[in-house]
C-alpha cells in the first residue's frame, strides 16, 4: 500500500512510458500478453456488468453458427411481447420485479463509478502537490460497502473514509449537495469513527404517507418503545427508561401523535402495573381526556398540575432514598413501577400562569425531576409549542429532544442543540401536510434522525384506553402527597400513606 490510506481514490496525470529497449522480441511478447490480459479482463467485466446483453449476444452467435437463427428470433420476439404485455397489464409487478431492480443496479453502479468526480463537484476533493515530482494530485474520500439497505424504501448506504486533512464534519456539510448530485431525495452522514462515516442516500420517502397505528407490545421494553418509522424505513424506537423527553412543535405539528404512540408503546406495561402515568393537561383535559383510563393520576388545572409535579418529587425522593446503597438502576415492578410524568403544554405551568408563586413551584418541581428522576425511574415527558428559554429554561436537561414543525429555522438549534440545523434537521421546512414528522436528537448521538409517529384517531385512543387500563381499581392505587416539613408528625403520616 506504500503508506496510502485504504480506499482512497487518487487522480494523477497519466504517465506515458516512452522508454524502449533494444530487445524487440521481448517487447512484442510483453505487448501480446498485455493485450490478452486486457481482453480477458474486459470480457469478465462485460459479463458481470451486462449479463443479459452478453447472454443475448452469445445466444445469437450460437444460433447463427448452428443454423437456429430463425427459432431463436421467434423465441426472442415472444419474450419481448410477453414483457410488453406484462408492463401494460400488470405495471405494479413489472416495476417491482423488473424495472426497480434494474434501476437500483444502474444507480448503485453509477455512484460507484462516478464517485471521484462527484466528490470533486461537491468540494470534497483535496489537491496535493507531490514534493519530489511537483505533480498535483487530487485525493477524494474512499467509498466502500455500497449496498441497498432497503429495497422497499430505496435506501442506499456506503462507508466513506475521508482523506488526511478532512474531517467527517466536512463530509456532513456537503451532504445536501452530495445528495442532489446523486439524484437522491436526501443524504445523511453518520459518523462511525475519527475518519469514517456511513453515508445514506434516500431515494424514497417512507414518511410521506401516514404511519398506521402500531401493534401494542405485549412485553414492556422501556428502552425501545415503538413510536413510528424512521426515514430509512426502520422502526422508530424511543428510549424511555432513564431519560426525559421533550416534544416541541407548533399547533398542528402532530405532538399528539407522538404522545399517543408513546402511550401505545407502553400500554402493555400500564395494563400489567409496571408503568404508571401521571398526566397534566392544563387545557382542561381537551387533549388527553380520551385516554383518561390509562392514567393513574390526571389533572386538568394548573394548580392541580403543579401539585402533581410536587407529589412526583416526593415519590422520587423517597424511592431514591430506598435505592441508595443497594441499586443505581431502577427496575420496573408492580411494587415500584416506572413513573411517567406526562405534561401537555408545559408552558401553561412555567410561563403563562399569572401566579408567580405557582410558576416558581412548577419550575422547581420540573427541575428536580429532570435532574434527579432518571435513576429512581421517574421519567418526565413534556410537550410545548414555544421553545424559547423564557418559556422553558430547563430544556437542556432533557436528554431526548423531538423537534416537530417549527416556525423559524433559528428554533431548530434552540430545541435540538447547536449545529442540528447544519446536520440536516430542517424542522422549519416540514410541510403542514405532514403532521407527526419530526427530527429526534438524543444526547451522545451526533446526528438528528428524521422520523414520523404513528397516527391515532379518536376511536383508536378509546380502544387503547379501554383495553389497556390499569388492572387496579383507582382507589387502591398509591397516592403521594406533598410533605409539609413544618409539621413532622403530619409529614410522617403522609409518607406512610404514599408508600402503601
Amino acid at each position: 500500500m506504500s503508506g496510502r490510506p485504504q480506499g482512497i481514490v487518487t487522480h494523477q496525470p497519466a504517465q506515458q512510458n516512452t522508454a524502449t529497449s533494444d530487445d524487440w522480441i521481448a517487447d512484442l511478447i510483453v505487448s501480446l500478453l498485455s493485450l490478452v490480459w486486457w481482453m480477458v479482463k474486459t470480457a469478465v467485466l462485460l459479463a458481470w456488468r451486462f449479463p443479459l446483453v452478453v447472454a443475448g449476444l452469445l445466444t445469437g452467435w450460437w444460433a447463427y453458427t448452428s443454423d437456429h437463427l430463425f427459432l431463436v428470433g421467434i423465441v426472442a420476439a415472444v419474450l419481448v411481447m410477453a414483457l410488453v404485455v406484462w408492463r401494460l397489464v400488470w405495471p405494479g409487478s413489472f416495476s417491482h420485479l423488473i424495472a426497480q431492480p434494474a434501476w437500483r443496479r444502474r444507480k448503485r453502479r453509477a455512484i460507484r463509478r462516478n464517485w471521484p468526480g462527484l466528490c470533486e463537484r461537491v468540494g470534497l476533493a483535496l489537491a496535493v502537490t507531490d514534493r519530489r515530482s511537483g505533480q498535483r494530485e487530487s485525493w477524494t474520500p474512499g467509498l466502500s460497502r455500497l449496498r441497498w439497505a432497503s429495497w422497499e424504501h430505496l435506501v442506499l448506504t456506503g462507508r466513506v473514509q475521508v482523506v488526511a486533512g478532512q474531517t467527517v464534519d466536512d463530509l456532513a456539510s456537503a451532504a445536501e449537495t452530495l445528495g442532489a448530485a446523486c439524484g437522491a431525495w436526501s443524504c445523511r452522514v453518520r459518523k462511525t469513527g475519527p475518519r469514517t462515516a456511513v453515508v445514506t442516500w434516500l431515494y424514497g420517502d417512507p414518511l410521506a404517507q401516514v404511519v398506521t397505528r402500531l401493534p401494542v407490545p405485549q412485553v414492556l421494553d422501556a428502552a425501545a418503545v415503538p413510536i413510528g418509522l424512521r426515514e430509512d424505513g426502520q422502526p422508530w424506537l424511543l428510549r424511555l427508561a432513564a431519560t426525559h423527553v421533550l416534544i416541541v412543535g407548533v399547533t398542528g405539528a402532530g405532538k399528539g401523535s407522538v404522545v399517543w404512540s408513546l402511550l401505545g408503546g407502553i400500554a402493555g406495561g400500564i395494563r400489567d402495573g409496571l408503568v404508571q402515568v401521571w398526566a397534566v393537561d392544563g387545557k382542561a383535559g381537551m387533549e388527553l381526556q380520551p385516554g383518561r383510563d390509562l392514567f393513574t393520576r390526571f389533572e386538568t388545572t394548573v394548580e392541580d398540575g403543579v401539585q402533581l409535579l410536587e407529589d412526583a418529587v416526593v415519590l422520587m425522593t423517597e424511592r431514591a432514598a430506598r435505592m441508595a446503597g443497594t441499586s443505581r438502576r431502577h427496575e420496573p415492578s408492580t411494587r415500584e413501577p416506572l413513573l411517567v410524568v406526562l405534561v401537555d403544554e408545559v408552558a401553561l405551568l412555567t410561563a403563562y400562569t399569572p401566579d408567580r408563586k405557582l410558576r416558581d413551584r412548577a419550575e422547581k418541581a420540573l427541575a428536580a425531576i429532570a435532574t434527579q428522576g432518571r435513576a429512581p425511574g421517574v421519567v418526565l415527558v413534556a410537550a410545548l409549542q414555544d421553545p424559547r428559554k423564557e418559556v422553558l429554561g430547563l430544556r437542556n436537561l432533557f436528554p431526548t429532544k423531538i423537534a416537530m414543525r417549527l416556525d423559524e429555522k433559528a428554533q431548530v438549534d434552540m430545541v435540538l442543540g447547536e449545529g442540528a440545523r447544519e446536520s440536516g434537521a430542517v424542522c422549519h421546512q416540514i410541510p403542514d401536510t405532514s403532521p407527526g414528522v419530526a427530527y429526534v436528537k438524543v444526547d451522545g448521538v451526533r446526528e438528528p434522525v428524521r422520523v414520523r409517529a404513528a397516527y391515532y384517531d379518536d376511536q383508536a385512543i378509546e380502544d387503547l384506553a379501554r383495553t389497556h387500563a390499569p388492572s387496579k381499581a383507582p382507589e387502591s392505587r398509591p397516592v403521594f402527597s406533598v410533605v409539609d416539613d413544618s409539621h413532622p408528625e403530619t409529614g410522617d403520616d403522609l409518607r406512610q400513606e404514599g408508600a402503601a
Side-chain angles (χ1 to χ4, degrees), residues 294-480:
L294 294 172
F295 308 136
T296 304
R297 289 188 59 179
F298 182 57
E299 308 297 349
T300 58
T301 64
V302 173
E303 293 77 7
D304 293 339
V306 173
Q307 183 65 55
L308 181 147
L309 296 177
E310 292 176 334
D311 292 351
V313 173
V314 174
L315 182 149
M316 176 189 70
T317 305
E318 293 178 347
R319 181 179 290 180
R322 287 194 299 270
M323 293 174 59
T326 59
S327 176
R328 298 177 57 187
R329 179 182 178 184
H330 174 259
E331 293 292 342
S333 64
T334 54
R335 183 177 179 81
E336 287 198 329
L338 177 71
L339 177 59
V340 178
V341 180
L342 173 61
V343 185
D344 185 50
E345 196 48 66
V346 67
L348 291 175
L349 277 63
T350 60
Y352 302 154
T353 299
D355 189 336
R356 183 180 181 82
K357 292 183 178 179
L358 208 56
R359 294 201 306 267
D360 292 342
R361 288 173 55 195
E363 290 180 351
K364 288 180 180 178
L366 288 170
I369 297 174
T371 54
Q372 307 169 38
R374 297 169 59 182
V378 179
V379 176
L380 179 61
V381 178
L384 79 161
Q385 300 181 30
D386 189 348
R388 290 177 302 160
K389 190 173 183 179
E390 36 289 12
V391 175
L392 185 64
L394 47 81
R395 60 176 185 244
N396 291 333
L397 297 179
F398 289 82
T400 302
K401 305 176 186 67
I402 302 173
M404 312 192 78
R405 180 163 55 88
L406 300 175
D407 285 329
E408 303 171 4
K409 61 182 180 182
Q411 295 177 338
V412 177
D413 289 354
M414 200 179 295
V415 177
L416 299 179
E418 187 176 355
R421 184 162 57 88
E422 292 182 355
S423 299
V426 286
C427 306
H428 57 292
Q429 296 182 7
I430 297 175
D432 56 5
T433 55
S434 301
V437 174
Y439 288 86
V440 180
K441 179 73 169 56
V442 180
D443 282 359
V445 179
R446 181 175 173 275
E447 298 81 11
V449 179
R450 184 169 168 265
V451 297
R452 184 165 190 171
Y455 174 69
Y456 276 68
D457 57 19
D458 293 342
Q459 186 61 49
I461 295 172
E462 292 179 4
D463 293 343
L464 181 70
R466 185 181 67 255
T467 57
H468 293 81
S471 56
K472 291 183 179 179
E475 55 272 17
S476 63
R477 296 170 197 159
V479 176
F480 298 87

Side-chain angles (χ1 to χ4, degrees), residues 2 34 37 59-60 104 116 135 143 152 165 189 219-220 225 231 300 322-323 325 333 365-366 370 385 416 435 490:
S2 66
S34 299
W37 168 245
T59 303
R104 290 196 299 264
Q135 295 176 336
L143 175 65
E152 179 184 3
V189 176
V219 179
L220 173 67
V225 179
E231 62 181 349
T300 58
R322 287 194 299 270
M323 293 174 59
S333 64
L366 288 170
Q385 300 181 30
L416 299 179
T490 305

Side-chain angles (χ1 to χ4, degrees), residues 130-151:
D130 187 84
R131 288 185 176 180
R132 289 175 293 184
S133 63
Q135 295 176 336
R136 291 184 62 81
E137 302 172 352
S138 179
W139 292 66
T140 60
L143 175 65
S144 61
R145 303 178 187 176
L146 187 64
R147 64 193 62 174
W148 289 98
S150 172
W151 290 359

